[in-house]
Amino acid sequence: MGKVTGFMEYDRLAEANLPVTDRVKNYKEFVLHLSDAEAKQQGARCMDCGIPFCTTGCPVNNIIPDFNDLVYSQDWKAAIDVLHSTNNFPEFTGRICPAPCEAACTLNINADPVGIKSIEHAIIDKAWENDWVTPQISAHKTGKKVAIVGSGPAGMAAAQQLARVGHSVVLLEKNSRIGGLLRYGIPDFKMEKSHIDRRMAQMEAEGVEFRVNQNVGENVNADDLLAEFDAVILAGGAEYPRDLPVKGRELDGVMYAMDFLTPQNQVVAGDTVANQVMASNKNVVVIGGGDTGSDCVGTSNRHGALSITQFELMPQPPEKENKELVWPNWPLKMRTSSSHEEGVSRDWSITTKELIGENGKVVALKGAKVEWVNGKMVEVAGSEFTIKADLVLLAMGFVSPVQKLLEVFGVEKDARGNAKATTEGVDSYKTSKTKVFAAGDVRRGQSLVVWAIREGRQAAKAVDEFLMGSSTLPR
């Protein structure tokens, strides 16, 4: 590495954030990427560790030590070339990926890991600033046509890869804008949608055709797609949410998280949304302690909620992981997001017993503490409580893709209701239906953006091999 002793000389340096009082006034990004000097110093912390566990911890297998070293040497152009060799959209992952690579960093065994995500963020931002992100247009057309259903990160990655080897690619999206959950699920304060728009411009130049308002099973016939195209990739999200079967679930003011988040993204994009549910001057309760719940907290703060409470059914994680036990795997530990820092009351081991209403509207939540005894959840005696709740947001995860999409294509499902397809061997990413492939959340279930990009890339290679007999695309 460029600085052999760097990991002993420099501390981890976090990206700066705008103050809470400023950022909650709007929906703009507030994380500031590292300066050149700061990124150089972070790159210097990368050890010559021999086995780069960070690369295997990263689902797309980014060549992390190489681009760290290039940033240390300030060779930014080479750094983006290395980064793009494995990751189509580092501006997405550099903003919203939880960075399993950092958990796997060798330095993380007994110190703070290298700020890999912050380096990635700095590389791609500099690449856009210097016009280094340009279309890679295939010199030859294969004459083969591929339809991709779902325009999230898996669909976008598959489309870009296939277009670059000369296939005619059509990307279909049921909503009015391309991007899937990147567009309508991730709040703009975490990732502004201009990042999707400029990738779309690049992909259009590479030959990808975008078709919006295309809902397969509704206004688009699956059999027509199979007749028109040589291959079809299903790349939709795991959009079917986990419900809360308690008394009062039907009350006005109790809703799924995505029904709350999506309209706000549409409004930020300039759309008019009738009867948008706002958290303004309301006592908000978010049920679910994951990323979607955190997004509800951040959005509610920007609406001007009176109070925000977030409940999680599972016990509170430890402040720090036992690194000797879990490294290099992703650890269970206490995580506080930027949205939590903006204001929220959090509690763990809480079950919701009832939602209380007046005149058809929710006004309170009745809950209780629970503990886990021999693997079973048991209510703690005398722990029942009631709190005000004018808006209850259900953010308890997603159980499967929308089943109708799989049914209209007639593909076999796995035990969890996902499209059944393996990721290995000659049949990788193939479903039970001839020339229909599946990748991303529709195949693996709810997961991370970086896994979606990986599966989109790998499915593209599988489709290319299916159509051409061999492929030069990376897996």
Side-chain angles (χ1 to χ4, degrees):
M1 305 306 295
K3 182 73 170 176
V4 177
T5 57
F7 71 96
M8 295 186 290
E9 296 177 28
Y10 304 120
D11 293 329
R12 178 183 170 94
L13 180 64
E15 293 173 306
N17 292 340
L18 295 177
V20 169
T21 52
D22 293 341
R23 71 197 198 210
V24 296
K25 297 176 182 177
N26 56 59
Y27 294 87
K28 296 179 181 179
E29 291 180 12
F30 52 82
V31 177
L32 309 176
H33 67 67
L34 302 178
S35 67
D36 289 8
E38 292 168 337
K40 175 185 175 71
Q41 182 173 307
Q42 274 303 290
R45 296 185 70 238
C46 187
M47 305 168 66
D48 187 8
C49 59
I51 300 176
F53 288 93
C54 57
T55 296
T56 55
C58 171
V60 293
N61 303 128
N62 279 335
I63 312 171
I64 294 164
D66 290 34
F67 68 64
N68 283 345
D69 185 46
L70 289 165
V71 168
Y72 172 75
S73 302
Q74 297 291 279
D75 190 347
W76 293 90
K77 181 63 169 64
I80 187 57
D81 291 341
V82 170
L83 184 51
H84 268 151
S85 70
T86 55
N87 186 352
N88 295 68
F89 312 119
E91 63 270 46
F92 302 164
T93 54
R95 285 169 168 80
I96 61 174
C97 179
C101 55
E102 294 185 12
C105 174
T106 300
L107 191 54
N108 191 43
I109 293 174
N110 62 350
D112 291 328
V114 175
I116 300 167
K117 180 179 174 180
S118 64
I119 293 173
E120 182 176 339
H121 184 186
I123 293 171
I124 185 58
D125 280 10
K126 182 171 284 290
W128 281 111
E129 291 165 6
N130 287 277
D131 296 323
W132 294 334
V133 185
T134 57
Q136 298 180 28
I137 301 171
S138 175
H140 306 284
K141 295 297 182 182
T142 64
K144 302 291 185 179
K145 298 175 63 178
V146 182
I148 300 174
V149 181
S151 70
M156 289 182 69
Q160 184 165 66
Q161 293 294 95
L162 289 167
R164 287 177 173 178
V165 290
H167 301 306
S168 296
V169 181
V170 175
L171 191 57
L172 298 98
E173 169 57 50
K174 67 181 179 180
N175 293 304
S176 61
R177 287 185 173 90
I178 294 296
L181 289 177
L182 285 174
R183 175 78 67 176
Y184 290 113
I186 304 295
D188 287 70
F189 56 79
K190 288 177 67 175
M191 193 190 84
E192 294 177 14
K193 309 317 172 195
S194 57
H195 303 298
I196 303 173
D197 296 337
R198 58 187 178 184
R199 279 295 178 182
M200 287 177 61
Q202 180 197 31
M203 292 169 66
E204 282 184 316
E206 293 170 342
V208 176
E209 177 187 347
F210 298 104
R211 297 181 188 175
V212 296
N213 300 313
Q214 303 290 298
N215 194 341
V216 180
E218 298 292 338
N219 63 345
V220 177
N221 187 281
D223 290 335
D224 291 344
L225 290 180
L226 292 171
E228 180 182 355
F229 293 91
D230 299 295
V232 175
I233 300 177
L234 306 183
E239 298 179 74
Y240 194 77
R242 183 172 286 107
D243 207 347
L244 182 67
V246 298
K247 183 180 179 181
R249 167 64 180 88
E250 76 288 349
L251 291 168
D252 185 23
V254 182
M255 61 194 303
Y256 289 123
M258 294 309 302
D259 294 336
F260 173 71
L261 295 172
T262 298
Q264 184 57 58
N265 283 16
Q266 292 171 323
V267 169
V268 173
D271 295 345
T272 300
V273 177
N275 303 315
Q276 180 189 1
V277 175
M278 301 289 290
S280 312
N281 299 313
K282 292 180 180 178
N283 296 293
V284 179
V285 177
V286 180
I287 301 177
D291 289 340
T292 304
S294 171
D295 293 342
C296 289
V297 171
T299 300
S300 296
N301 273 315
R302 283 159 179 76
H303 283 183
L306 189 62
S307 70
I308 307 171
T309 304
Q310 185 176 23
F311 290 140
E312 167 58 50
L313 183 64
M314 301 303 293
Q316 182 173 349
E319 287 291 333
K320 293 184 178 181
E321 73 272 32
N322 184 339
K323 292 183 178 181
E324 293 182 354
L325 179 66
V326 301
W327 181 90
N329 298 315
W330 182 248
L332 175 67
K333 68 175 181 179
M334 182 70 172
R335 301 180 192 278
T336 299
S337 74
S338 58
S339 291
H340 294 141
E341 294 168 353
E342 294 165 2
V344 63
S345 174
R346 305 169 74 186
D347 204 355
W348 290 261
S349 299
I350 298 295
T351 184
T352 301
K353 299 185 68 175
E354 181 183 351
L355 299 169
I356 302 168
E358 292 179 3
N359 301 318
K361 294 185 178 181
V362 68
V363 296
L365 178 148
K366 182 185 292 184
K369 276 280 188 180
V370 297
E371 58 184 3
W372 297 85
V373 180
N374 297 324
K376 295 183 178 181
M377 186 179 72
V378 179
E379 184 177 329
V380 176
S383 68
E384 188 173 288
F385 64 91
T386 302
I387 66 167
K388 291 181 179 180
D390 307 305
L391 178 61
V392 177
L393 302 173
L394 308 181
M396 302 172 294
F398 302 86
V399 295
S400 72
V402 175
Q403 296 299 290
K404 188 172 183 179
L405 175 63
L406 306 185
E407 291 163 0
V408 295
F409 279 101
V411 302
E412 186 179 350
K413 305 173 190 176
D414 65 16
R416 297 183 298 156
N418 302 319
K420 187 175 182 179
T422 182
T423 60
E424 302 296 335
V426 295
D427 292 326
S428 62
Y429 294 95
K430 290 181 180 178
T431 70
S432 59
K433 184 78 171 182
T434 303
K435 72 179 184 181
V436 177
F437 296 72
D441 287 6
V442 74
R443 191 204 67 82
R444 66 179 289 114
Q446 179 188 0
S447 192
L448 305 176
V449 61
V450 69
W451 274 106
I453 294 172
R454 170 198 173 111
E455 294 220 346
R457 288 171 61 90
Q458 292 190 347
K461 181 178 178 65
V463 169
D464 192 30
E465 290 174 340
F466 169 74
L467 295 176
M468 308 302 294
S470 62
S471 177
T472 57
L473 286 172
R475 192 172 192 278

